[in-house]
């Protein structure tokens, strides 16, 4: 694999004045608690297709030809409501509770058909599940995928349609049909290649900040991260590996304790896991056992996906004592590092690329296209 590319932060030169300093303060990142107001991973939406236009009712008439026959055209079809996965969208916060397609136009004279109603496109994040009555009806897991949430109604028939040898002057025409109406539940499951899994204060957010440009909140109290963050690791061959920082788990998370199931669902889409354990605590291998147990209780087979164990906080004296004990207790590869000082991050980035390349080859051998960022 190619060498990871970590660009240094850019600094502006010169001495900014008061106005510039004020703009800098205004552009500061939102706090984690304010960000949670904008992160929405579920939404209930009512969608209604556009109504079809009514059929036209008219008779052709011109000088010296007063009995020209019926010439009312058909009405236009109503517009659909379509959900479209967009990689730029990161939350369902912009999705409104109601959408309706545009109505079709009425049929006109001289056999003119009414125009069809325009489609309404609703952009949703990649990884959005569409459910109806508890059943999954669509899985928008790739950029550009579309799902017709509500079909527009068919346009009505004009009186020209009912012309026959038995009825040479039909006056019958039909109205447009109403559009389809549905109530859907949208559920977002974060799509990333790797998932950072660990207990609160294990250092997941600090690690994500160290290997990418993501800026999740970091503090000394538990449950600092209240919503998933996705950081992108860039490599010199322009490959990008997405790493998701999943909010900290606790014992009983599969029973909805702590942040619980609300964020366990974001782990499902990860292709491989990075288990982050705190080396400074006694018996750190117990953390790994508890994490795997919670994943397995939530979804059978989830803990068997490819993984690597990251022993964080190696800069502490207690961690250096526990490291050889951890390697004896676990069968997986252990990478000891410090997210705070940046020690041994290169080994993690190399192994992360190995896991990604293995995932790409596996998907291609199955005839499927791997997820790209």
């Amino acid at each position: 694999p190619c060498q990871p590319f970590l660009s240094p932060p850019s600094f502006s030169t010169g001495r900014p004045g008061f106005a510039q300093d004020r703009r800098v303060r205004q552009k500061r990142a939102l706090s984690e608690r304010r960000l949670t107001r904008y992160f929405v991973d579920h939404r209930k939406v009512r969608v209604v297709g556009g109504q079809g236009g009514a059929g036209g009712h008219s008779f052709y008439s011109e000088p010296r030809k007063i009995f020209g026959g019926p010439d009312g055209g058909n009405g236009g079809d109503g517009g659909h409501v379509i959900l479209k996965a967009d990689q730029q969208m990161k939350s369902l916060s912009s999705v409104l509770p109601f959408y309706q397609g545009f109505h079709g136009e009425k049929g006109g004279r001289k056999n003119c058909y009414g125009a069809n109603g325009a489609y309404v496109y609703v952009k949703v994040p990649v990884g959005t599940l569409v459910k109806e009555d508890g059943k999954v009806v669509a899985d928008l897991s790739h950029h550009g995928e579309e799902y017709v949430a509500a079909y527009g109604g068919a346009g009505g028939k004009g009186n020209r349609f009912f012309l026959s040898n038995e009825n040479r002057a039909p006056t019958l025409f039909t109205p447009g049909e109403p559009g389809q109406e549905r109530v859907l539940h949208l559920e977002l499951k974060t799509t990333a290649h790797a998932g950072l899994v660990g207990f609160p204060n294990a250092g997941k957010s600090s690690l994500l900040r160290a290997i990418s440009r993501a800026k999740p909140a970091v503090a000394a109290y538990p449950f600092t991260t209240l919503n998933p963050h996705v950081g992108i690791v860039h490599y010199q061959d322009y490959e990008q590996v997405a790493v998701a920082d999943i909010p900290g788990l606790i014992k009983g998370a599969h029973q909805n304790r702590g942040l619980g199931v609300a964020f366990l669902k974001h782990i499902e889409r990860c292709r491989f896991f990075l288990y982050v354990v705190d080396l400074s605590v006694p018996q750190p291998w117990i953390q790994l056992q508890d994490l795997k147990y919670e994943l397995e209780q939530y979804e059978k087979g989830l803990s068997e996906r490819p993984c690597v164990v990251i022993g964080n906080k190696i800069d502490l004296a207690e961690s250096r004592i526990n490291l050889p004990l951890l390697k004896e207790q676990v069968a997986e590869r252990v990478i000891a590092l410090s997210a705070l000082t940046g020690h041994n991050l290169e080994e993690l980035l190399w192994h992360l690329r190995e896991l990604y390349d293995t995932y790409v080859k596996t998907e291609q051998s199955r005839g499927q296209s791997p997820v790209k960022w």
Side-chain angles (χ1 to χ4, degrees):
C2 294
Q3 184 178 358
F5 175 73
L6 297 177
S7 60
S10 58
F11 298 94
S12 59
T13 58
R15 300 178 61 184
F18 176 77
Q20 182 178 352
D21 186 53
R22 181 180 178 183
R23 288 194 297 269
V24 170
R25 290 198 302 268
Q26 290 175 348
K27 292 183 179 180
R28 286 178 181 173
L30 294 174
S31 67
E32 181 71 25
R33 294 190 179 276
R34 291 184 63 189
L35 277 173
T36 54
R37 296 186 300 174
Y38 303 102
F39 181 82
V40 178
D41 57 3
H42 62 276
R43 183 76 89 188
K44 180 180 178 180
V45 184
R46 177 171 164 257
V47 289
V48 181
Q51 183 171 352
H57 175 264
S58 64
F59 288 88
Y60 184 76
S61 177
E62 64 179 14
R64 303 183 187 87
K65 195 175 181 181
I66 59 176
F67 299 108
D71 67 346
N74 296 339
D77 298 332
H80 306 330
V81 179
I82 301 176
L83 303 179
K84 185 173 183 178
D86 191 336
Q87 200 168 7
Q88 300 295 329
M89 306 293 293
K90 302 303 180 185
S91 171
L92 294 173
S93 58
S94 61
V95 177
L96 303 177
F98 175 75
Y99 288 95
Q100 183 172 21
F102 290 93
H103 301 319
E105 294 185 4
K106 180 181 178 181
R109 301 172 58 89
K110 298 182 181 181
N111 297 323
C112 291
Y113 282 34
N116 294 332
Y119 295 168
V120 173
Y121 286 91
V122 182
K123 293 183 178 181
V124 296
V126 174
T128 299
L129 282 180
V130 185
K131 295 183 178 181
E132 185 177 22
D133 299 329
K135 297 181 180 180
V136 178
V137 296
D139 185 358
L140 305 177
S141 56
H142 293 84
H143 176 73
E145 282 188 335
E146 297 180 1
Y147 173 70
V148 181
Y151 286 93
K157 303 298 183 183
N159 63 338
R160 171 73 180 183
F161 178 82
F162 298 98
L163 176 65
S164 65
N165 290 332
E166 292 77 16
N167 187 2
R168 305 300 297 176
T171 58
L172 177 63
F173 65 96
T174 59
E177 296 182 1
Q180 185 183 17
E181 182 174 353
R182 304 171 71 185
V183 176
L184 303 175
H185 293 267
L186 307 183
E187 181 178 322
L188 173 60
K189 295 185 178 181
T190 303
T191 301
H193 299 119
L196 292 171
V197 184
F199 284 101
N201 288 117
K204 301 184 300 300
S205 298
S206 299
L207 181 60
L208 186 64
R209 293 171 68 103
I211 64 176
S212 71
R213 294 180 179 179
K215 300 298 180 184
V218 175
Y221 52 83
F223 297 114
T224 309
T225 302
L226 300 177
N227 59 273
H229 291 265
V230 178
I232 307 300
V233 181
H234 299 268
Y235 290 85
Q236 285 188 343
D237 59 349
Y238 302 105
E239 284 287 356
Q240 298 179 354
V241 180
V243 182
D245 175 19
I246 308 299
L249 303 179
I250 63 173
K251 291 184 178 180
H254 68 281
Q255 299 174 346
N256 214 18
R257 295 179 181 174
L259 297 177
V261 177
F263 292 105
L264 270 172
K265 63 186 179 185
H266 292 283
I267 302 179
E268 293 182 38
R269 299 295 179 92
C270 297
R271 273 58 182 182
F272 41 89
F273 297 137
L274 307 178
Y275 293 104
V276 182
V277 298
D278 186 354
L279 283 176
S280 64
V281 301
Q283 298 181 336
W285 54 88
I286 301 297
Q287 293 186 14
L288 181 62
Q289 297 174 4
D290 293 339
L291 290 172
K292 287 190 172 183
Y293 176 78
E294 293 300 327
L295 296 184
E296 195 66 23
Q297 292 300 311
Y298 176 71
E299 180 181 327
K300 189 172 181 60
L302 196 60
S303 63
E304 299 176 1
R305 295 185 183 180
C307 66
V308 63
V309 179
I310 299 175
N312 194 20
K313 305 181 182 180
I314 192 61
D315 52 306
L316 302 179
E318 300 88 348
S319 301
R320 291 189 287 270
I321 298 175
N322 292 331
L323 178 59
L325 301 177
L326 175 64
K327 292 183 176 180
E328 293 177 0
Q329 294 291 331
V330 301
E332 294 82 5
R333 179 175 180 176
V334 178
I335 298 178
L337 54 81
S338 173
L340 179 63
T341 63
H343 175 72
N344 208 26
L345 286 179
E346 293 81 4
E347 183 180 356
L348 170 62
L349 294 172
W350 281 111
H351 191 64
L352 179 64
R353 181 59 189 268
E354 292 176 2
L355 291 172
Y356 173 76
D357 290 339
T358 303
Y359 155 71
V360 172
K361 293 179 181 179
T362 303
E363 292 295 305
Q364 292 176 346
S365 64
R366 296 175 180 174
Q368 301 177 358
S369 57
V371 175
K372 294 286 187 177
W373 279 74

